[in-house]
Amino acid sequence: MRTEAEAAGPPLEPGDFVQLPVPVIQQLYHWDCGLACSRMVLRYLGQLDDSEFERALQKLQLTRSIWTIDLAYLMHHFGVRHRFCTQTLGVDKGYKNQSFYRKHFDTEETRVNQLFAQAKACKVLVEKWNVQHQHQ
């Protein structure tokens, strides 16, 4: 049996790249880029069933306001091993005046911050991280 490191092949060097056959799924609306990306990942992993995906959206109460933390919960729902790295553990107040977020920012702020607060208990891996941070 091969370890994950052995299965991955030789370590990548700076400038190397890996091209994966991820299918392209077009977003349906101006607001669902994250859901389209999630569908692409799930289809690549062989886990996308459209009706199951729709049921997951309903279960997680994902509507027109999708934040990245929502996508982390969605990936967890489907058993996709991942780590959500973010500069802000909670809502970034800088989005408050952007037109896309402005209308529902205050109610969404509470919901999104609650998802961050519950992430560890829900086994959704969230880590504060930025490009200067070197993960150990």
Side-chain angles (χ1 to χ4, degrees), residues 7-8 24 30 50 56 63 70 74-75 82 84-85 87 94 100 106 111:
V24 175
H30 73 281
D50 287 328
T63 56
D70 290 312
L74 183 62
M75 290 294 109
H82 69 284
F84 170 34
C85 298
Q87 292 183 18
F100 181 79
D106 293 330
R111 181 186 75 80

Side-chain angles (χ1 to χ4, degrees):
M1 179 174 290
R2 296 173 66 186
T3 67
E4 282 186 38
E6 291 169 334
L12 295 177
E13 298 294 326
D16 287 350
F17 70 94
V18 175
Q19 187 171 355
L20 302 172
V22 177
V24 175
I25 297 177
Q26 188 171 356
Q27 50 185 108
L28 301 174
Y29 309 98
H30 73 281
W31 53 265
D32 71 335
C33 55
L35 293 179
C37 292
S38 296
R39 285 179 186 267
M40 289 188 282
V41 167
L42 292 169
R43 182 153 304 147
Y44 168 75
L45 295 173
Q47 297 183 22
L48 184 62
D49 172 272
D50 287 328
S51 60
E52 187 179 345
F53 190 81
E54 293 302 322
R55 283 193 300 276
L57 296 182
Q58 290 175 3
K59 179 181 178 183
L60 298 171
Q61 299 177 8
L62 302 183
T63 56
R64 288 180 59 132
S65 182
I66 309 294
W67 292 66
T68 312
I69 186 72
D70 290 312
L71 302 177
Y73 275 81
L74 183 62
M75 290 294 109
H76 178 266
H77 174 86
F78 283 100
V80 176
R81 207 173 88 193
H82 69 284
R83 176 183 303 131
F84 170 34
C85 298
T86 179
Q87 292 183 18
T88 308
L89 294 174
V91 169
D92 183 340
K93 298 272 192 186
Y95 290 117
K96 185 169 187 157
N97 294 318
Q98 290 188 13
S99 60
F100 181 79
Y101 296 101
R102 191 177 304 132
K103 188 174 180 182
H104 302 288
F105 188 88
D106 293 330
T107 55
E108 284 294 283
E109 181 178 21
T110 301
R111 181 186 75 80
V112 169
N113 283 336
Q114 188 173 17
L115 289 173
F116 274 97
Q118 296 171 342
K120 187 173 184 178
C122 293
K123 297 185 178 13
V124 174
L125 185 56
V126 178
E127 185 177 312
K128 187 168 183 171
W129 205 88
N130 61 43
V131 292
Q132 287 82 32
H133 177 258
Q134 294 294 319
H135 186 67
Q136 301 297 325

